């Protein structure tokens, strides 16, 4: 009799409910000490950017990001830049005049996005529904990719 119940239980259909969460949240502090969540940017197109300000090419790269931000921010683009630098004071000095969201990862939470990368910067594009739509290997023409999401 017990075998019959076990067999009957195995034959019942199993209903699996899953909820799509979109992005992996990155709750990190910005350069002013405020907690910033990547998931709070739902409704905007987000350029998720992992960068080290200590690399030699950083000033040039930041100028390119500034041009993108200036061109597309009014239309709904937000940059969420995660610093992978080791020196927090240097990072704070580097981002003091940047208009987008700058956070510092001193706890290693960004490894969910950066574990397979070998160089920086690392860029992901996130659509307005908070879903990663382009990973670093898929981005060929960044302005064109942003334009398509706006």
């Amino acid at each position: 009799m017990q075998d019959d119940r076990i067999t009957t239980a195995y034959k019942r259909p199993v209903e699996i409910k899953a909820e799509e969460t979109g992005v992996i949240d990155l709750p990190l502090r910005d350069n002013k000490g405020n907690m910033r969540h990547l998931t709070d940017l739902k409704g905007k197109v987000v350029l998720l950017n992992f960068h080290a300000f200590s690399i030699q090419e950083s000033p040039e790269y930041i100028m390119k990001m500034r041009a993108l931000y200036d061109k597309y921010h009014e239309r709904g683009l937000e940059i969420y830049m995660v610093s992978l630098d080791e020196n927090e004071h240097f990072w704070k000095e580097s981002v003091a005049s940047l208009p987008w969201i700058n956070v510092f990862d001193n706890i290693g939470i960004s490894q969910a996005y950066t574990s397979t990368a070998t160089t920086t910067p690392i860029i992901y594009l996130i659509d307005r529904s908070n879903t990663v739509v382009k990973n670093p290997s898929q981005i060929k023409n960044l302005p064109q990719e942003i334009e398509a999401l706006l």
Side-chain angles (χ1 to χ4, degrees):
M1 190 158 123
Q2 182 178 3
D3 290 340
D4 289 338
R5 284 185 296 200
I6 292 171
T7 304
T8 304
Y10 278 116
K11 289 181 180 177
R12 275 191 233 136
V14 177
E15 185 178 342
I16 299 173
K17 293 182 181 180
E19 183 179 329
E20 187 174 320
T21 58
V23 299
I24 298 169
D25 196 18
L26 295 175
L28 295 166
R29 297 219 177 263
D30 67 13
N31 54 319
K32 294 175 178 66
N34 301 314
M35 184 62 72
R36 303 299 293 259
H37 290 263
L38 180 60
T39 54
D40 289 344
L41 299 175
K42 187 173 185 172
K44 296 181 180 257
V45 171
V46 179
L47 190 153
L48 174 58
N49 193 329
F50 298 91
H51 181 66
F53 289 87
S54 57
I55 63 173
Q56 186 175 0
E57 302 83 14
S58 182
E60 270 181 54
Y61 180 74
I62 293 302
M63 293 303 289
K64 290 177 183 176
M65 290 296 105
R66 183 67 180 244
L68 285 172
Y69 184 84
D70 290 346
K71 184 174 182 179
Y72 297 114
H73 180 68
E74 297 263 334
R75 293 177 52 199
L77 175 71
E78 187 58 71
I79 297 176
Y80 189 93
M81 185 173 275
V82 181
S83 171
L84 301 176
D85 291 291
E86 293 181 14
N87 185 323
E88 187 172 358
H89 178 72
F90 174 75
W91 163 73
K92 281 185 180 179
E93 293 292 317
S94 300
V95 302
S97 64
L98 298 179
W100 54 79
I101 299 168
N102 290 284
V103 294
F104 186 75
D105 184 7
N106 60 347
I107 56 176
I109 195 170
S110 62
Q111 287 182 354
Y113 288 98
T114 62
S115 63
T116 59
T118 56
T119 62
T120 60
I122 304 162
I123 296 173
Y124 290 85
L125 286 175
I126 301 168
D127 68 10
R128 292 179 189 272
S129 67
N130 236 2
T131 303
V132 175
V133 292
K134 297 284 182 175
N135 66 42
S137 66
Q138 296 171 318
I139 298 172
K140 305 298 180 218
N141 182 331
L142 188 56
Q144 186 177 26
E145 304 274 358
I146 292 169
E147 189 81 37
L149 293 173
L150 294 171

